[in-house]
Amino acid sequence: MKMKSIIICFCFCCLGSWWHMLSAQEQVRALRPLEQCTLVTDLADRIEEIQVIPIKQRFDAGSLEWMRKKLLIGPGGDLFLMYGREVMCFDAAGKYQFSMKYNQGKECPYHQDACISVDQKKLLFAYGDSEVVFFDLNDGREIERLPMNKPLQLFEEIAPAPDGGFYYYSVSAPCSNNFERGHLLVTRFDKNGKKLESSIPQVGFTVNIFLVSQAVGNTYLIRTQGGDNACYRVNTKGELEKAYTFDFGKRGMPDTYGMLKGDLMLQDYMRADYYKMPIYLCEGGKFFYFTSCGPHAEAYNFLYARGKDSGIYWKADPDLEIHFLSADEDYFYAFLEPVPEEMIRETQDPLLRQIFKQFALSLGEKTSTRLVKIKFKCPDKGLRLL
């Protein structure tokens, strides 16, 4: 009888271990966008709600700071917009609340980033590889400055890690095929700035923009590029885990593309006759969105319902691109700058057409930036979430 109990316990342990491994495998979704998604030219029956909220502040839409802007959503629904070395807080209605500003050192628009801590009490602002500044998320008060005594070179972006720490994302030779093979992209530091570990080897030509994005529930998506073409998630505990892989089949960029060339220029990479560079990764409560650079540098936006292995995609407007920067349980968030009348009339982007159709957005020079919130129609009930 005792031996029988031992055998039963052993079987349950094995079964539990098997289910754990199966669960871990299911968490990594292997996406095949060109096989699974349908090209559409109209989103009228797929959008449930659009909100357009004026933001009174003015921004230089042609600046590097605006190009590298980041939108974070706080636990109470407040919006935190990083623009240069300033992070502005707006309430959910777009009313300005306060700013958190880094006021030391020279402007360095290519090497600064922000994220919200795992406990959602602090905002971490990384000024290049020199220091991380901690701000109180409730009132914008500066709490602490953490000098990086052994800084990580080639810093690009930041994400929260467990126990008050953070991840640094660094790229070896951005926008080049002459990168260091085996360079590890993500390094974890503790709350005191001590380096703990590095992971995720760089495997290809990497464009150093929008590498880390906030997702629903203050999780974060970290994208790679090249032969890996994977997306990693920093979960609600600050743990790093693989979330998605992207496979464009024979139409995807080969792992060896450009390796034999002396120098592969960015414009040549972008215009190559392949789908490449999954970017603008954005995960809401019900949908997963990303953009891919297709042949001739034409952008395509993909949208998956999180309960399905199928979705849709549409061609973006080459002159007036709109991308989602963050998401919560229901909405995806983007910004629209002032738009000339002729661009409103002529755009073929189905998302932009729906926005302009519902809102008379004659965005003149004196018009403020708009925050756009999109709610897509819910997928069928009862589907298993990703």
Side-chain angles (χ1 to χ4, degrees), residues 73-296:
I73 301 175
D78 286 342
L79 307 171
F80 297 88
L81 173 62
M82 189 199 80
Y83 177 68
R85 52 183 173 183
E86 181 178 7
V87 180
M88 290 165 277
C89 175
F90 302 88
D91 65 16
K95 183 179 179 181
Y96 174 79
Q97 303 294 303
F98 57 83
S99 287
M100 294 166 274
K101 192 169 184 177
Y102 182 86
N103 55 9
Q104 183 176 329
K106 297 180 180 179
E107 192 71 21
C108 187
Y110 264 101
H111 295 87
Q112 50 204 20
D113 194 31
C115 67
I116 294 174
S117 61
V118 170
D119 63 10
Q120 301 193 64
K121 295 181 179 179
K122 300 176 183 178
L123 182 133
L124 284 64
F125 181 89
Y127 185 73
D129 55 16
S130 59
E131 64 181 341
V132 177
V133 185
F134 295 80
F135 294 93
D136 188 300
L137 203 63
N138 291 320
D139 57 16
R141 174 176 49 89
E142 183 177 317
I143 300 173
E144 176 188 5
R145 293 197 175 203
L146 178 63
M148 300 297 288
N149 296 323
K150 293 183 179 180
L152 182 70
Q153 301 299 318
L154 310 172
F155 163 79
E156 295 292 345
E157 300 187 27
I158 190 172
D163 304 318
F166 48 89
Y167 297 99
Y168 262 13
Y169 193 121
S170 68
V171 178
S172 170
C175 302
S176 171
N177 59 336
N178 295 317
F179 60 90
E180 176 189 344
R181 272 40 176 189
H183 169 76
L184 297 177
L185 294 167
V186 178
T187 299
R188 179 184 167 189
F189 293 85
D190 69 10
K191 63 181 180 181
N192 299 313
K194 180 182 177 182
K195 181 178 177 180
L196 299 179
E197 58 184 345
S198 297
S199 60
I200 312 179
Q202 184 174 345
V203 293
F205 187 104
T206 301
V207 179
N208 57 329
I209 186 172
F210 215 77
L211 298 163
V212 179
S213 54
Q214 189 197 47
V216 61
N218 197 45
T219 58
Y220 290 77
L221 298 179
I222 296 178
R223 73 176 184 88
T224 61
Q225 203 171 310
D228 195 18
N229 266 343
C231 164
Y232 292 76
R233 182 189 293 112
V234 175
N235 63 26
T236 55
K237 297 180 181 179
E239 300 164 338
L240 187 64
E241 58 191 21
K242 202 168 190 175
Y244 299 98
T245 60
F246 305 88
D247 183 0
F248 291 98
K250 293 182 179 179
R251 300 179 69 185
M253 178 74 84
D255 296 350
T256 57
Y257 186 85
M259 292 298 183
L260 300 180
K261 293 187 177 182
D263 283 300
L264 177 61
M265 304 301 292
L266 176 60
Q267 59 267 31
D268 295 331
Y269 176 84
M270 300 286 282
R271 295 190 63 82
D273 196 24
Y274 298 101
Y275 286 83
K276 81 288 287 181
M277 200 176 77
I279 193 173
Y280 298 108
L281 309 175
C282 204
E283 189 176 54
K286 302 175 181 67
F287 293 92
F288 174 60
Y289 162 95
F290 65 93
T291 298
S292 176
C293 179
H296 314 297

Side-chain angles (χ1 to χ4, degrees), residues 2-129:
K2 184 176 181 181
M3 179 58 69
K4 185 177 180 180
S5 299
I6 293 174
I7 292 173
I8 292 173
C9 288
F10 176 76
C11 290
F12 271 108
C13 288
C14 291
L15 185 62
S17 177
W18 181 81
W19 274 109
H20 178 75
M21 289 188 292
L22 180 61
S23 177
Q25 291 173 355
E26 288 182 341
Q27 288 175 4
V28 181
R29 299 303 305 235
L31 304 181
R32 301 184 305 279
L34 297 180
E35 295 178 25
Q36 298 169 332
C37 296
T38 302
L39 180 64
V40 299
T41 57
D42 188 3
L43 293 174
D45 62 345
R46 300 178 186 272
I47 294 177
E48 181 175 331
E49 181 185 356
I50 300 177
Q51 295 182 27
V52 175
I53 302 171
I55 301 293
K56 297 299 178 63
Q57 272 71 11
R58 293 283 296 164
F59 306 99
D60 181 359
S63 67
L64 295 176
E65 291 93 333
W66 186 250
M67 183 178 70
R68 294 184 64 89
K69 64 186 176 294
K70 176 163 285 187
L71 181 66
L72 303 169
I73 301 175
D78 286 342
L79 307 171
F80 297 88
L81 173 62
M82 189 199 80
Y83 177 68
R85 52 183 173 183
E86 181 178 7
V87 180
M88 290 165 277
C89 175
F90 302 88
D91 65 16
K95 183 179 179 181
Y96 174 79
Q97 303 294 303
F98 57 83
S99 287
M100 294 166 274
K101 192 169 184 177
Y102 182 86
N103 55 9
Q104 183 176 329
K106 297 180 180 179
E107 192 71 21
C108 187
Y110 264 101
H111 295 87
Q112 50 204 20
D113 194 31
C115 67
I116 294 174
S117 61
V118 170
D119 63 10
Q120 301 193 64
K121 295 181 179 179
K122 300 176 183 178
L123 182 133
L124 284 64
F125 181 89
Y127 185 73
D129 55 16

Side-chain angles (χ1 to χ4, degrees), residues 302-321:
F302 292 80
L303 185 72
Y304 279 84
R306 289 190 63 191
K308 292 184 177 180
D309 289 329
S310 62
I312 59 172
Y313 72 109
W314 63 92
K315 186 177 178 180
D317 189 320
D319 300 314
L320 183 60
E321 292 187 14

Side-chain angles (χ1 to χ4, degrees), residues 317 320 339-348 353 356:
D317 189 320
L320 183 60
V339 180
E341 285 279 0
E342 60 271 18
M343 294 183 72
I344 294 177
R345 292 193 303 267
E346 297 174 1
T347 184
Q348 297 301 307
R353 286 209 310 266
F356 296 147

